[in-house]
Each structure stands twice: as structure tokens, then as C-alpha cells.
Amino acid sequence: AQTVTQSQPEMSVQEAETVTLSCTYDTSESDYYLFWYKQPPSRQMILVIRQEAYKQQNATENRFSVNFQKAAKSFSLKISDSQLGDAAMYFCAYKEDSNYQLIWGAGTKLIIKP
Amino acid sequence: GAVVSQHPSRVICKSGTSVKIECRSLDFQATTMFWYRQFPKKSLMLMATSNEGSKATYEQGVEKDKFLINHASLTLSTLTVTSAHPEDSSFYICSARAGEETQYFGPGTRLLVL
């Protein structure tokens, strides 16, 4: 069965600095999708970034980028120029190409220090 | 685009009563919607997958007679918690599938059963 592991329960970073959140997953599939979702204190789940496994190029969305290492089954999220509004729980999620369900990691709480 | 609304945002009810939560995709048609439950400081737990015009598929351990799901149109799914008890108090989140791989989430409903 597929699993998603986020090994960092909590991370903190100084405002304006860069932080990297880790995510590893286990699968025997070759086609799948990976996601990072953000859940701020409002508890609204917001899509941050998405990566298709067949794409070698790492996805980027403004200050958010991923380091996708397919062979290592690693999918880390880098947040550059951290802002106070980035404080939230960050969840990594996996989806098979043929299945609609998301497999979730346990989440990483990101604290931004002013 | 890809906005999902959820109503109500919070509800308090007496034990033994039923509560209905609505999930709407506002700017797209969603053939598939998902209902999750989230415990404090935990990841999302999938309860059921709702397909328009057909019966919902429930995850193992989720009582289908207690959590009634109806997906009557391409933009509306409802979750009814029947005969609610204090242990049903939780945060319920819906999501809707937009396209083939991405889920967009509603803002969630806080249910408190007294």
C-alpha cells in the first residue's frame, strides 16, 4: 500500500529566510501525482503546488518550489522569502494516476518567527 | 476558479438530532466529491467518495447509515450526520475533483454535539 511520510512534525524559520519541508512516499506505481497543501489556522485546505511524476522538471509557484526525486521517492517543498502568512500546517499528498483518492502525510507545522 | 463552498461553517446541536452539511462547487462541475473528517492536529481521514447520481462509497469503519451522503447534482453534495452524539463532534471537510487529478477543498464545518 502507498504511504506518505512527513518526518518533521514542526519546523520554524525566521521571516524572509528559506525553509524546506520533507516528504517521502512509497509506491510501486510509475504514474502518479504529488501535492503540497497548506492548512492555515482558518483550517481551509489550500493547494500550494502539484507535481506530475512523469515530468522531470520541478514544479514552481512563485516562492514555492519542489525538489522531486523520483528514484528516491522524495518530494520536498522549499519556501523562499518566508512570510508570516506562510505559518500553517503543510500536508504532502500522493495520488495514483488511476485512483481519485489522496494518501496524506501526517503534516508539518511551520512556524514563522518575526 | 475551482472554488468550493461549505455550509454551515459551524453548528452546535443536541445529542440525537440530525445535522446536514452542504458542499458546493461554485465555478465548476464536480462529478466526484469527497468527505473527510479531521481530528485536532491530525491529517484528513477520508470518510466517503461521492459520485453524482450514484451511491457513495464509504471507507472501512465509516457507518453509512449514520453518515448519509447525497450527490444529487454536479455541484452539490450533502452529508447528513444522523442521530448525532458527542463523539461525532469534529471538523468535517469536503472536496471536489476538478479535472483528473486535483481536489479543491471547502472551508470545513465544525460540528459540536452537546
Side-chain angles (χ1 to χ4, degrees):
Chain A
Q2 291 83 3
T3 58
V4 177
T5 301
Q6 293 178 250
S7 59
Q8 307 153 316
E10 185 174 298
M11 291 281 286
S12 62
V13 63
Q14 202 72 37
E15 190 177 5
E17 294 188 346
T18 296
V19 64
T20 298
L21 308 184
S22 301
C23 174
T24 59
Y25 57 95
D26 187 24
T27 184
S28 58
E29 302 293 323
S30 58
D31 294 326
Y32 50 87
Y33 298 85
L34 295 163
F35 306 85
W36 278 99
Y37 282 91
K38 166 186 176 181
Q39 189 178 39
S42 67
R43 300 190 79 173
Q44 167 78 62
M45 195 70 79
I46 302 166
L47 176 67
V48 175
I49 203 164
R50 179 184 73 203
Q51 174 80 43
E52 293 88 341
Y54 65 85
K55 290 186 177 179
Q56 292 186 338
Q57 187 173 8
N58 289 323
T60 298
E61 288 289 343
N62 301 313
R63 297 183 294 108
F64 299 87
S65 62
V66 297
N67 183 2
F68 173 48
Q69 302 289 330
K70 191 171 184 178
K73 298 179 182 175
S74 171
F75 182 61
S76 60
L77 174 70
K78 185 173 83 170
I79 305 174
S80 303
D81 185 26
S82 298
Q83 299 176 2
L84 295 178
D86 296 333
M89 283 291 291
Y90 286 81
F91 292 97
C92 178
Y94 163 98
K95 190 193 87 69
E96 278 182 24
D97 188 34
S98 59
N99 193 326
Y100 299 140
Q101 291 188 13
L102 291 171
I103 309 298
W104 296 88
T108 296
K109 181 178 182 180
L110 178 63
I111 298 169
I112 310 295
K113 295 184 283 188
Chain B
V3 178
V4 177
S5 71
Q6 202 170 327
H7 179 81
S9 59
R10 59 181 63 190
V11 57
I12 301 173
C13 69
K14 293 182 178 180
S15 185
T17 61
S18 294
V19 174
K20 180 185 284 188
I21 303 170
E22 291 186 348
C23 178
R24 294 181 184 271
S25 56
L26 297 184
D27 51 2
F28 66 100
Q29 293 183 329
T31 54
T32 306
M33 290 184 172
F34 304 84
W35 287 96
Y36 295 86
R37 184 171 179 175
Q38 188 178 31
F39 294 99
K41 300 183 179 180
K42 297 293 184 181
S43 185
L44 276 68
M45 181 187 78
L46 180 65
M47 299 174 65
T49 301
S50 166
N51 291 295
E52 187 266 337
S54 63
K55 291 184 179 180
T57 302
Y58 290 82
E59 295 300 299
Q60 191 172 9
V62 178
E63 299 175 60
K64 62 180 180 180
D65 294 330
K66 179 162 190 64
F67 298 100
L68 299 179
I69 292 172
N70 183 271
H71 194 158
S73 77
L74 287 172
T75 59
L76 173 64
S77 177
T78 60
L79 167 68
T80 301
V81 183
T82 62
S83 186
H85 290 284
E87 57 265 30
D88 299 324
S89 298
S90 194
F91 190 66
Y92 294 88
I93 308 176
C94 73
S95 71
R97 181 172 62 92
E100 289 303 312
E101 70 279 345
T102 302
Q103 290 183 32
Y104 292 91
F105 288 80
T109 297
R110 299 173 190 268
L111 171 62
L112 177 61
V113 185
L114 302 176

